[in-house]
Amino acid sequence: EVQLVESGGGLVQPGGSLRLSCAASGFTFSSYWMTWVRQPPGKGLEWVANINQDGSEKYYVDSVKGRFTISRDNARNSLYLQMNSLRAEDTAVYYCATEAIWGSYRYLAYWGQGTLATVPS
Amino acid sequence: DIQMTQSPSSLSASVGDRVTISCRASQSISNYLNWYQHKPGRGPKLLIYAASFLQSGVPSRFSGSGSGTDFTLTISSLQPEDFASYYCQQSYTTPWTFGQGTKVEVK
Protein backbone atom coordinates (compact mmCIF):
# COMPACT_ATOMS: atom_id res chain seq x y z
CA GLU A 1 0.00 0.00 0.00
CA VAL A 2 1.33 3.41 -0.97
CA GLN A 3 1.85 5.66 2.04
CA LEU A 4 3.03 9.25 2.12
CA VAL A 5 3.44 10.86 5.54
CA GLU A 6 4.30 14.54 5.82
CA SER A 7 5.88 16.13 8.87
CA GLY A 8 7.72 19.26 9.92
CA GLY A 9 4.92 21.80 9.89
CA GLY A 10 4.41 24.27 12.68
CA LEU A 11 4.26 27.92 13.68
CA VAL A 12 7.09 30.12 12.44
CA GLN A 13 7.53 33.89 12.46
CA PRO A 14 7.68 35.88 9.21
CA GLY A 15 11.12 35.63 7.69
CA GLY A 16 11.77 32.31 9.37
CA SER A 17 12.35 28.84 7.95
CA LEU A 18 10.75 25.41 8.04
CA ARG A 19 11.79 22.10 6.53
CA LEU A 20 8.97 19.80 5.57
CA SER A 21 9.55 16.07 5.11
CA CYS A 22 7.55 13.38 3.36
CA ALA A 23 8.26 9.73 4.17
CA ALA A 24 7.29 7.37 1.37
CA SER A 25 6.60 3.64 1.50
CA GLY A 26 4.82 0.94 -0.48
CA PHE A 27 6.34 1.80 -3.86
CA THR A 28 9.71 2.28 -5.52
CA PHE A 29 10.27 5.89 -4.49
CA SER A 30 13.32 6.40 -6.69
CA SER A 31 11.27 5.69 -9.83
CA TYR A 32 8.79 8.56 -9.44
CA TRP A 33 8.64 12.29 -9.87
CA MET A 34 7.37 13.86 -6.65
CA THR A 35 5.37 17.03 -6.02
CA TRP A 36 4.43 19.45 -3.25
CA VAL A 37 0.96 21.03 -3.34
CA ARG A 38 -0.43 23.45 -0.75
CA GLN A 39 -3.85 24.63 0.36
CA PRO A 40 -4.17 27.93 2.25
CA PRO A 41 -6.97 27.99 4.84
CA GLY A 42 -10.34 28.25 3.14
CA LYS A 43 -8.81 28.32 -0.33
CA GLY A 44 -8.08 25.92 -3.16
CA LEU A 45 -5.10 23.81 -4.10
CA GLU A 46 -1.86 25.32 -5.42
CA TRP A 47 0.96 23.37 -7.04
CA VAL A 48 4.25 24.41 -5.41
CA ALA A 49 7.14 22.40 -6.84
CA ASN A 50 8.16 19.08 -8.31
CA ILE A 51 11.35 17.06 -8.71
CA ASN A 52 12.40 14.25 -10.99
CA GLN A 53 13.60 10.83 -9.99
CA ASP A 54 17.28 11.66 -9.38
CA GLY A 55 16.81 15.25 -8.29
CA SER A 56 18.41 16.76 -11.37
CA GLU A 57 15.22 18.56 -12.50
CA LYS A 58 13.23 20.86 -10.24
CA TYR A 59 10.39 23.24 -11.04
CA TYR A 60 8.69 25.85 -8.85
CA VAL A 61 5.69 28.15 -8.91
CA ASP A 62 6.86 31.75 -9.29
CA SER A 63 5.67 32.80 -5.82
CA VAL A 64 8.20 30.52 -4.08
CA LYS A 65 11.16 30.70 -6.46
CA GLY A 66 14.33 31.69 -4.64
CA ARG A 67 12.76 30.96 -1.23
CA PHE A 68 11.77 27.27 -1.35
CA THR A 69 13.95 24.30 -2.32
CA ILE A 70 12.63 20.86 -3.13
CA SER A 71 14.95 17.90 -2.66
CA ARG A 72 14.88 14.16 -2.13
CA ASP A 73 16.92 11.36 -0.58
CA ASN A 74 16.20 8.14 -2.45
CA ALA A 75 18.19 6.10 0.06
CA ARG A 76 15.83 7.26 2.78
CA ASN A 77 12.66 7.24 0.60
CA SER A 78 12.10 10.84 1.58
CA LEU A 79 11.06 14.09 -0.05
CA TYR A 80 11.79 17.51 1.43
CA LEU A 81 10.73 21.12 1.08
CA GLN A 82 13.05 23.71 2.60
CA MET A 83 11.06 26.90 3.08
CA ASN A 84 12.98 30.11 3.80
CA SER A 85 11.96 33.76 4.11
CA LEU A 86 8.45 32.66 5.01
CA ARG A 87 5.53 35.03 4.59
CA ALA A 88 1.99 35.07 5.95
CA GLU A 89 0.72 34.02 2.52
CA ASP A 90 2.73 30.78 2.80
CA THR A 91 0.37 29.63 5.57
CA ALA A 92 -1.17 26.42 4.24
CA VAL A 93 -1.52 22.70 4.56
CA TYR A 94 1.31 21.22 2.49
CA TYR A 95 0.77 17.89 0.73
CA CYS A 96 3.31 15.66 -0.96
CA ALA A 97 2.15 13.57 -3.87
CA THR A 98 3.51 11.03 -6.34
CA GLU A 99 3.39 11.87 -10.01
CA ALA A 100 2.27 9.10 -12.33
CA ILE A 101 3.23 9.26 -15.98
CA TRP A 102 1.21 7.54 -18.69
CA GLY A 103 2.67 8.34 -22.07
CA SER A 104 2.71 12.14 -22.18
CA TYR A 105 0.09 12.42 -19.45
CA ARG A 106 0.99 13.24 -15.86
CA TYR A 107 -1.20 13.24 -12.78
CA LEU A 108 -0.93 13.13 -9.01
CA ALA A 109 -1.78 9.54 -8.19
CA TYR A 110 -1.23 9.37 -4.43
CA TRP A 111 -1.26 12.05 -1.76
CA GLY A 112 -0.29 12.33 1.87
CA GLN A 113 -2.58 13.71 4.56
CA GLY A 114 -0.73 17.02 4.77
CA THR A 115 1.14 19.09 7.34
CA LEU A 116 0.18 22.60 8.40
CA ALA A 117 2.64 25.46 8.26
CA THR A 118 1.50 28.69 9.90
CA VAL A 119 3.16 32.07 9.44
CA PRO A 120 1.31 34.79 11.39
CA SER A 121 0.80 38.18 9.81
CA ASP B 1 0.17 30.66 -16.47
CA ILE B 2 -2.92 28.74 -17.54
CA GLN B 3 -6.00 29.69 -15.52
CA MET B 4 -8.56 27.04 -14.65
CA THR B 5 -12.10 28.17 -13.85
CA GLN B 6 -14.65 25.82 -12.32
CA SER B 7 -18.39 26.26 -12.11
CA PRO B 8 -20.30 26.28 -9.96
CA SER B 9 -18.23 27.09 -6.86
CA SER B 10 -20.71 25.12 -4.80
CA LEU B 11 -23.89 23.14 -5.31
CA SER B 12 -26.49 21.43 -3.18
CA ALA B 13 -27.67 17.99 -4.19
CA SER B 14 -29.42 14.91 -2.86
CA VAL B 15 -28.38 11.28 -2.85
CA GLY B 16 -29.22 9.82 -6.23
CA ASP B 17 -28.92 13.11 -8.12
CA ARG B 18 -26.88 13.48 -11.28
CA VAL B 19 -24.18 16.11 -10.68
CA THR B 20 -22.17 17.95 -13.31
CA ILE B 21 -19.16 20.16 -12.65
CA SER B 22 -17.54 22.26 -15.36
CA CYS B 23 -13.94 23.33 -15.78
CA ARG B 24 -12.64 25.80 -18.36
CA ALA B 25 -9.01 26.46 -19.26
CA SER B 26 -7.75 29.88 -20.34
CA GLN B 27 -6.09 28.26 -23.37
CA SER B 28 -6.26 24.91 -25.09
CA ILE B 29 -4.79 22.11 -22.99
CA SER B 30 -5.80 19.23 -25.29
CA ASN B 31 -6.89 16.57 -22.80
CA TYR B 32 -4.21 17.18 -20.15
CA LEU B 33 -6.83 17.51 -17.47
CA ASN B 34 -7.21 15.67 -14.17
CA TRP B 35 -9.96 15.62 -11.54
CA TYR B 36 -9.54 15.15 -7.78
CA GLN B 37 -11.90 14.68 -4.85
CA HIS B 38 -10.95 16.30 -1.54
CA LYS B 39 -12.47 15.71 1.86
CA PRO B 40 -11.57 17.71 4.99
CA GLY B 41 -8.59 16.34 6.91
CA ARG B 42 -7.49 14.06 4.10
CA GLY B 43 -5.24 14.27 1.08
CA PRO B 44 -6.96 14.70 -2.28
CA LYS B 45 -7.85 11.59 -4.25
CA LEU B 46 -7.36 11.18 -7.99
CA LEU B 47 -10.60 10.40 -9.82
CA ILE B 48 -9.99 11.01 -13.53
CA TYR B 49 -6.81 11.53 -15.56
CA ALA B 50 -6.29 12.58 -19.18
CA ALA B 51 -9.80 14.08 -19.13
CA SER B 52 -11.72 10.82 -19.34
CA PHE B 53 -9.78 7.89 -17.89
CA LEU B 54 -11.07 6.52 -14.61
CA GLN B 55 -8.41 5.90 -11.99
CA SER B 56 -8.26 2.30 -10.77
CA GLY B 57 -10.62 1.71 -7.85
CA VAL B 58 -12.79 4.76 -8.50
CA PRO B 59 -16.50 3.93 -8.87
CA SER B 60 -17.91 3.98 -12.39
CA ARG B 61 -20.51 6.60 -11.43
CA PHE B 62 -17.69 9.12 -11.94
CA SER B 63 -16.90 10.11 -15.51
CA GLY B 64 -15.01 12.87 -17.28
CA SER B 65 -15.26 14.39 -20.72
CA GLY B 66 -14.00 17.26 -22.82
CA SER B 67 -10.95 18.49 -24.66
CA GLY B 68 -9.37 21.79 -25.64
CA THR B 69 -10.69 24.30 -23.12
CA ASP B 70 -13.94 22.83 -21.79
CA PHE B 71 -14.24 19.84 -19.51
CA THR B 72 -16.90 18.17 -17.38
CA LEU B 73 -16.93 15.87 -14.38
CA THR B 74 -20.17 13.94 -13.96
CA ILE B 75 -21.38 11.90 -11.01
CA SER B 76 -24.23 9.82 -12.39
CA SER B 77 -25.92 9.03 -9.07
CA LEU B 78 -24.61 10.89 -6.04
CA GLN B 79 -23.78 8.71 -3.05
CA PRO B 80 -23.39 9.80 0.60
CA GLU B 81 -19.61 9.43 0.42
CA ASP B 82 -19.43 11.80 -2.57
CA PHE B 83 -20.13 14.96 -0.58
CA ALA B 84 -16.76 16.66 -0.89
CA SER B 85 -14.87 19.28 -2.87
CA TYR B 86 -13.77 18.60 -6.43
CA TYR B 87 -10.85 20.16 -8.29
CA CYS B 88 -9.74 20.10 -11.89
CA GLN B 89 -6.02 20.45 -12.67
CA GLN B 90 -4.13 20.96 -15.92
CA SER B 91 -0.90 19.10 -16.58
CA TYR B 92 -0.30 20.63 -20.02
CA THR B 93 2.49 22.87 -18.78
CA THR B 94 4.15 23.99 -15.57
CA PRO B 95 3.19 25.58 -13.34
CA TRP B 96 0.41 23.05 -13.04
CA THR B 97 -2.73 24.90 -12.01
CA PHE B 98 -5.96 23.90 -10.30
CA GLY B 99 -9.46 25.20 -10.54
CA GLN B 100 -10.78 27.00 -7.48
CA GLY B 101 -12.85 23.96 -6.50
CA THR B 102 -16.50 22.97 -6.37
CA LYS B 103 -18.03 22.01 -3.04
CA VAL B 104 -20.84 19.46 -3.27
CA GLU B 105 -23.12 19.83 -0.26
CA VAL B 106 -26.18 18.07 1.07
CA LYS B 107 -29.45 19.59 -0.09
Side-chain angles (χ1 to χ4, degrees):
Chain A
E1 179 192 4
V2 172
Q3 281 202 320
L4 297 168
V5 180
E6 301 92 337
S7 60
L11 177 65
V12 61
Q13 293 302 307
S17 299
L18 274 178
R19 188 194 195 208
L20 306 184
S21 299
C22 172
S25 60
F27 65 104
T28 306
F29 179 76
S30 59
S31 297
Y32 288 84
W33 281 74
M34 296 294 295
T35 291
W36 286 100
V37 173
R38 66 185 179 182
Q39 183 177 36
K43 297 188 177 181
L45 300 170
E46 179 184 36
W47 177 86
V48 174
N50 66 352
I51 185 169
N52 72 339
Q53 291 88 337
D54 65 4
S56 61
E57 292 184 53
K58 304 175 184 181
Y59 300 93
Y60 300 91
V61 68
D62 282 350
S63 59
V64 308
K65 281 180 183 175
R67 301 188 300 122
F68 289 12
T69 301
I70 189 172
S71 63
R72 65 192 297 161
D73 184 338
N74 288 339
R76 295 178 182 271
N77 290 338
S78 292
L79 176 72
Y80 305 102
L81 186 67
Q82 178 68 43
M83 306 190 296
N84 298 331
S85 302
L86 282 162
R87 307 166 180 168
E89 54 264 36
D90 296 317
T91 294
V93 175
Y94 285 76
Y95 299 97
C96 68
T98 60
E99 285 187 29
I101 299 175
W102 179 60
S104 60
Y105 298 98
R106 302 172 72 147
Y107 47 91
L108 300 172
Y110 298 100
W111 299 62
Q113 84 291 345
T115 187
L116 175 63
T118 303
V119 187
S121 54
Chain B
D1 298 358
I2 297 175
Q3 291 193 350
M4 307 300 293
T5 303
Q6 286 181 233
S7 61
S9 296
S10 65
L11 64 90
S12 299
S14 301
V15 172
D17 284 353
R18 181 182 182 88
V19 170
T20 299
I21 298 169
S22 297
C23 177
R24 175 166 288 180
S26 61
Q27 67 181 73
S28 177
I29 56 171
S30 184
N31 59 342
Y32 291 85
L33 191 282
N34 308 313
W35 288 98
Y36 303 88
Q37 178 191 66
H38 193 198
K39 296 181 178 179
R42 303 188 189 179
K45 175 186 175 182
L46 175 70
L47 299 175
I48 301 284
Y49 62 94
S52 61
F53 291 84
L54 194 67
Q55 170 70 344
S56 176
V58 173
S60 59
R61 63 181 179 272
F62 291 93
S63 64
S65 64
S67 66
T69 60
D70 292 307
F71 302 87
T72 300
L73 174 70
T74 300
I75 310 173
S76 60
S77 178
L78 196 67
Q79 297 302 299
E81 60 268 30
D82 300 337
F83 292 100
S85 294
Y86 294 85
Y87 292 88
C88 61
Q89 174 247 329
Q90 64 82 17
S91 60
Y92 183 76
T93 187
T94 56
W96 292 4
T97 45
F98 291 84
Q100 81 279 14
T102 296
K103 188 173 184 179
V104 177
E105 300 175 301
V106 177
K107 189 172 185 177

